[in-house]
Amino acid sequence: MGIKTYNPYTPSRRNMTGSDFSEITKTTPEKSLLSTRKNNAGRNSRGKITVRHRGGGAKRKYRMVDFKRKKDGIPATVLGIEYDPNRSANIALICYADGEKAYILAPEGLTDGMTVMNGPDAEVRVGNCLPLANIPVGTQIHNIEMYVGAGGQLVRAAGNSAQLMAKEGKNATLRLPSGEMRMVPINCRATIGVVGNGDHSLINIGKAGRKRHMGYRPTVRGSVMNPNDHPHGGGEGKAPIGRPAPCTPWGKPALGLRTRNRHKASNRMIIRRRDGKLVKK
């Protein structure tokens, strides 16, 4: 998918870029696969803000994407590639031979009329979903399960792919887009190929209003707040933060603090962290 630019008839238009949607072949979503999506504006069930800087934005319907791909042995034809407002990747509408329709993540190279298949007997071809045990070493994959039957959780964003590095015993070793090397049970499923819409990361938003349409509210720097609102606040003019290191609004270190639980069960599956350091077992 390409990137389009705009004539600079306003200052904000000068550097703004957007997608040209050249891969999109279907403009109206499948009604049977839509569900309502309530905008909670970052608030929990008590009405308290638990995620800051969220709210407003254009209304969206949620597209029910099939991340599990459990319908084995039945070929499905791609009916169209659609835009999904809920994710960076595009989605593909497929229709199985028995008439059932589903949405899947659209990998690079998947076009209308192509056939995809799920299950251990599927070919190693773009868009097909099969267990890691049946995928050759070195293949690029996405939509990877972490637990058997749970559905794809890893590598789902636009332009991303992981590489299958090795298979040994009950586990397969993957190199994730972050550079992390981790093991995944060899019976977990993954989809062949790279997630489409790879130019998504090159889009320049251009103006604040476009971000508001996406459901984001403004972020205010702590240094311009009062001392009772933020540890960086207070002072005359552009005062320094007055602390050894930057802090969050709640006084915790903002940079470099590791927040991952040291006793997390999945830690033993990580071989190499994304910073390149080997994990001590």
Side-chain angles (χ1 to χ4, degrees), residues 113-188:
M114 291 179 68
T115 303
V116 295
M117 204 160 168
N118 314 325
D121 301 325
E123 294 179 34
V124 181
R125 203 172 55 200
V126 169
N128 286 359
C129 180
L130 49 161
L132 292 170
N134 299 40
I135 300 176
V137 172
T139 307
Q140 287 187 307
I141 53 178
H142 66 276
N143 189 36
I144 305 159
E145 289 184 331
M146 294 179 73
Y147 306 99
V148 178
Q153 293 174 281
L154 300 174
V155 194
R156 302 191 330 193
N160 277 350
S161 69
Q163 190 173 18
L164 181 58
M165 303 300 291
K167 293 187 279 189
E168 186 177 349
K170 293 182 178 179
N171 294 314
T173 303
L174 307 176
R175 183 169 65 201
L176 301 178
S178 63
E180 178 179 293
M181 299 267 286
R182 72 171 295 134
M183 294 185 295
V184 170
I186 204 163
N187 294 328
C188 285

Side-chain angles (χ1 to χ4, degrees), residues 214-254:
M214 297 162 76
Y216 290 92
R217 297 188 68 242
T219 303
V220 179
R221 290 173 296 131
S223 59
V224 298
M225 296 184 189
N226 293 319
N228 61 333
D229 296 320
H230 201 286
H232 296 176
E236 296 290 331
K238 257 193 171 178
I241 60 177
R243 283 173 167 253
C247 293
T248 68
W250 304 279
K252 305 211 171 191

Side-chain angles (χ1 to χ4, degrees), residues 11-68:
S12 61
R13 275 288 193 193
R14 183 169 298 281
N15 298 308
M16 185 186 291
T17 57
S19 175
D20 65 0
F21 300 107
S22 57
E23 291 176 8
I24 304 298
T25 60
K26 189 172 178 295
T27 54
T28 53
E30 183 67 26
K31 279 191 177 179
S32 62
L33 296 173
L34 292 181
S35 66
T36 54
R37 175 187 173 277
K38 189 173 184 298
N39 181 11
N40 294 315
R43 288 162 169 78
N44 63 9
S45 58
R46 296 174 57 203
K48 303 274 188 180
I49 293 178
T50 54
V51 181
R52 299 187 303 156
H53 316 133
R54 297 290 167 89
K59 276 190 178 180
R60 303 176 190 171
K61 287 281 181 72
Y62 184 75
R63 279 78 169 159
M64 291 180 279
V65 179
D66 179 16
F67 295 112
K68 294 191 175 183

